[in-house]
Amino acid sequence: MEGGVTKPDKTEFSECFRIIWGKPYIMLLALSAGIGGLLFGYDTGVISGASLYIRDDFQEVERHTWLQETIVSTAVAGAIIGAAFGGWMNDRFGRKKSIMCADFLFMIGSIVMALAPNPWVIITGRLFVGLGVGIVSMTSPLYISEASPARIRGALVSTNGLLLTGGQFLSYLINLAFAKTRGNWRWMLGIAGVPPLVQFILMCFLPESPRWLYGQNRIKEATKILEKIYPANEVEQELKSLQLSIETQKEDERSTGDGPFSKIKSAFGNKIVRRGLYAGITVQVAQQFVGINTVMYYSPTIVQLAGFASNRTALALSLITTGLNSIGTILSMLFVDRFGRRRLMIISMIGIIVCLVVLSIMFFQASVHAPIVSVIESNHFGVNSTCLDFKIASSPASWNCMTCLRASSDCAFCANGQNIYNAGACLVEDTITRATCRAQHRTWYTYGCPSKFGILTVLVLGLYILCYAPGMGTVPWIVNSEIYPLRYRGTGGGIAAVSNWVSNLIVSETFLTLTEALGSAGTFLLFAAFSSAGLVAIFFLVPETKGLQFEEVEKMLEKGYRPKLCCSKEEEIKSTS
């Protein structure tokens, strides 16, 4: 059956608003937990702008691509550890305490980064932040999911995604605001400590997840919370569903044990959970290998690769991508409970693949039409300032800006003073030569070349984000908050989150290296190939969970899921009955 078993459901954003209007407590829980998404978004977005200025302050960062990648990706490595322990923490201590622990790690990491005297201390701070990100990335949507009525669960979990993209947008605004401030990157990274403090205080006054409380035999507390979430006539039904899940959980615990390793072994040995993990891991890995976090972590750098050399210009144009990300997340909130999770992801992946192919073509054209390097222009700055590889080249007339930037020695392109698209100079990349170039009112390029395709590339990049955000941006987290039985929810979510962060680490740690080895065009084409593989995997492995109670998802997975290319109207009606 296409998308598995789904109920006819009129849940839309308008109904979500109606329910919340009647019970505003639901939104209070969702927004308070959703600050975790804001932290997640801010800390993944802020480094993209801060790294531009960290490069300026620390020469070793400017010279070594691997060090830039390490500063960015250390947070991802920390997130892997945080996500690995996050599943155990969720089950052992509850969702509320896990979120508060993540807040504490965020605050410590922000202070360490703001006061860092060298790149390695920044990396240490990024590790603390990453631990917090890993915990909160799975705990916030889980908390929201378990504190939401099933009819509007998707829309409310999407608030976490909305705050995530809002955090990314906020990070670019902060980056732009502090761009000309002394100690700019320190302010950018240090301000990240404010939201976790706010969330920590809020969580002190909010309850634990009712599902976790019920699992701990704190039935009265769980009932009081459910009465604030559900209409009076639905509370009893929800309690019965919870009781059934807990009885199943206890039976499983007696047979498999309650330790984290025994749970992982049991999870893969359980047919229902294993099928859920196939779907959950698939969507999380696919989310990363479409290359999204190359845009989130390196957006200003990508804009520079497109031909905009100025840090401030790169930051300003990057606001377009993060703004569209927020818009796309709002679209997800509008449609995720109307059209379903699976359909949104498939449409999203098709749009992503098209955009990545077009981006590859744009970057290839920019490379082919890059300004040539002139011997006269280069010698204008003195022989000692000319790039060594260019000086000893057998055919310097064949060199263009891109050849200069890819030279084995550290070289940069100083654009023509009258027209940046005319022949320019290939020079040694150091602070003195850079200052000399800029003093003559020329533009200094280290990551990309002057390109007439620049604006078009940024627009396609924005379209890529708009295709990504409504589907692959938020839905994988929704799916993983819905697809596992209660006993395995923390474990399954943790395994899926670890797979997400491992994939994220691979992508973020290799992006700059790939652009040096394959060029920007080859790198984005590679992501298009990965995305195509992800689309196929989603089609065959991921069922629809729209509008289903958690217990109904279990029954669907127990029967198994077989996708179909199409359904007749009669079959569609059966599949929703």
Side-chain angles (χ1 to χ4, degrees):
M1 291 177 292
E2 177 71 17
V5 181
T6 56
K7 287 184 175 181
D9 197 331
K10 297 180 180 178
T11 299
E12 301 174 15
F13 188 71
S14 58
E15 184 174 353
C16 178
F17 181 79
R18 180 184 61 79
I19 292 173
I20 290 171
W21 184 262
K23 289 186 174 289
Y25 186 73
I26 299 172
M27 199 61 183
L28 175 63
L29 295 178
L31 290 177
S32 298
I35 294 176
L38 182 76
L39 296 172
F40 184 177
Y42 187 91
D43 279 292
T44 55
V46 71
I47 194 63
S48 62
S51 61
L52 300 178
Y53 299 98
I54 292 172
R55 289 190 330 224
D56 291 343
D57 277 8
F58 300 110
Q59 193 67 35
E60 61 267 41
V61 178
E62 177 70 36
R63 289 183 175 277
H64 301 292
T65 297
W66 65 268
L67 191 53
Q68 296 177 45
E69 291 174 327
T70 301
I71 289 173
V72 170
S73 59
T74 298
V76 182
I80 294 171
I81 301 171
F85 282 97
W88 170 77
M89 287 178 64
N90 277 320
D91 288 341
R92 177 69 176 172
F93 302 109
R95 293 34 165 164
K96 175 180 174 177
K97 289 181 180 178
S98 296
I99 291 173
M100 294 175 75
C101 177
D103 289 333
F104 181 74
L105 292 168
F106 272 118
M107 287 186 280
I108 294 295
S110 299
I111 293 169
V112 170
M113 288 188 294
L115 301 176
N118 59 61
W120 294 105
V121 177
I122 298 176
I123 290 170
T124 302
R126 292 283 292 166
L127 181 62
F128 277 102
V129 165
L131 290 169
V133 166
I135 296 170
V136 84
S137 67
M138 59 173 297
T139 308
S140 287
L142 183 61
Y143 182 93
I144 297 169
S145 176
E146 293 182 344
S148 305
R151 297 192 303 277
I152 60 171
R153 189 173 59 221
L156 285 179
V157 174
S158 292
T159 62
N160 184 70
L162 177 62
L163 288 169
L164 190 156
T165 55
Q168 290 170 336
F169 186 74
L170 177 64
S171 72
Y172 281 97
L173 287 176
I174 295 293
N175 285 344
L176 198 57
F178 286 103
K180 290 190 175 181
T181 305
R182 185 177 180 181
N184 40 30
W185 61 268
R186 297 182 186 276
W187 286 101
M188 296 171 186
L189 299 176
I191 286 177
V194 177
L197 178 61
V198 173
Q199 185 179 43
F200 188 91
I201 295 171
L202 284 172
M203 293 305 295
C204 289
F205 299 98
L206 293 177
E208 181 54 80
S209 156
R211 286 182 173 270
W212 186 84
L213 288 172
Y214 201 101
Q216 300 298 309
N217 207 31
R218 294 159 64 177
I219 299 173
K220 288 184 179 179
E221 294 177 60
T223 303
K224 287 181 181 179
I225 299 166
L226 290 173
E227 287 172 350
K228 295 181 180 180
I229 296 171
Y230 285 88
N233 61 329
E234 294 181 16
V235 173
E236 190 64 31
Q237 179 184 351
E238 184 65 17
L239 285 170
K240 288 180 180 179
S241 297
L242 286 174
Q243 183 180 6
L244 180 63
S245 293
I246 296 304
E247 288 174 355
T248 304
Q249 172 184 347
K250 289 181 178 179
E251 289 178 7
D252 289 340
E253 284 179 355
R254 283 193 291 268
S255 60
T256 64
D258 195 33
F261 294 105
S262 61
K263 275 193 173 184
I264 293 173
K265 182 179 178 181
S266 173
F268 282 100
N270 185 301
K271 178 176 66 176
I272 296 173
V273 183
R274 188 170 62 249
R275 287 172 175 168
L277 285 170
Y278 290 158
I281 292 173
T282 292
V283 295
Q284 294 287 28
V285 172
Q287 184 192 62
Q288 294 304 317
F289 274 92
V290 301
I292 184 59
N293 277 320
T294 63
V295 178
M296 292 300 105
Y297 297 148
Y298 300 106
S299 184
T301 300
I302 293 173
V303 172
Q304 288 182 334
L305 287 170
F308 300 94
S310 165
N311 286 351
R312 283 182 61 82
T313 301
L315 287 171
L317 290 174
S318 296
L319 282 171
I320 296 173
T321 60
T322 52
L324 290 173
N325 201 7
S326 298
I327 293 171
T329 306
I330 293 172
L331 292 176
S332 176
M333 294 177 67
L334 288 168
F335 298 119
V336 70
D337 283 320
R338 175 187 286 184
F339 296 117
R341 288 71 160 134
R342 171 182 158 84
R343 184 181 299 177
L344 274 181
M345 285 192 291
I346 290 175
I347 294 172
S348 177
M349 288 294 281
I350 292 171
I352 286 168
I353 293 166
V354 172
C355 290
L356 286 171
V357 171
V358 174
L359 278 172
S360 179
I361 294 171
M362 290 293 99
F363 279 113
F364 177 75
Q365 290 296 320
S367 176
V368 169
H369 296 92
I372 64 172
V373 175
S374 165
V375 174
I376 296 174
E377 283 283 311
S378 301
N379 290 340
H380 168 74
F381 292 90
V383 177
N384 291 335
S385 296
T386 303
C387 170
L388 177 61
D389 284 7
F390 180 67
K391 284 194 293 187
I392 63 175
S394 57
S395 55
S398 65
W399 277 50
N400 65 12
C401 170
M402 199 60 68
T403 315
C404 172
L405 299 185
R406 292 176 182 171
S408 58
S409 55
D410 293 325
C411 300
F413 183 78
C414 183
N416 191 291
Q418 297 179 350
N419 188 332
I420 60 173
Y421 303 114
N422 291 338
C426 187
L427 307 176
V428 175
E429 184 184 348
D430 59 37
T431 54
I432 296 174
T433 308
R434 179 179 62 190
T436 304
C437 172
R438 290 175 174 173
Q440 296 185 21
H441 304 290
R442 296 173 179 238
T443 307
W444 180 259
Y445 290 87
T446 54
Y447 283 91
C449 296
S451 171
K452 294 179 180 179
F453 299 94
I455 289 294
L456 183 58
T457 302
V458 171
L459 291 176
V460 176
L461 190 66
L463 183 60
Y464 162 82
I465 293 292
L466 203 53
C467 290
Y468 167 85
M472 293 307 297
T474 56
V475 176
W477 298 106
I478 297 174
V479 169
N480 273 282
S481 70
E482 296 175 334
I483 207 164
Y484 308 111
L486 176 61
R487 163 168 160 67
Y488 294 99
R489 195 153 300 143
T491 303
I495 293 171
V498 168
S499 68
N500 179 285
W501 288 110
V502 169
S503 304
N504 190 334
L505 178 63
I506 293 170
V507 172
S508 60
E509 183 65 28
T510 58
F511 175 67
L512 294 179
T513 302
L514 283 172
T515 57
E516 289 183 353
L518 304 177
S520 303
T523 301
F524 282 100
L525 193 60
L526 181 64
F527 285 134
F530 287 144
S531 300
S532 299
L535 174 61
V536 173
I538 288 171
F539 178 80
F540 284 104
L541 296 175
V542 183
E544 181 59 75
T545 58
K546 167 192 167 185
L548 297 180
Q549 297 286 346
F550 291 116
E551 292 72 26
E552 292 174 310
V553 175
E554 288 185 45
K555 291 179 182 178
M556 177 186 64
L557 290 174
E558 187 175 12
K559 292 179 181 178
Y561 168 69
R562 294 180 181 178
K564 287 187 177 181
L565 288 174
C566 60
C567 282
S568 66
K569 288 188 177 180
E570 183 180 347
E571 287 174 321
E572 287 177 359
I573 292 171
K574 288 180 180 179
S575 71
T576 57
S577 63

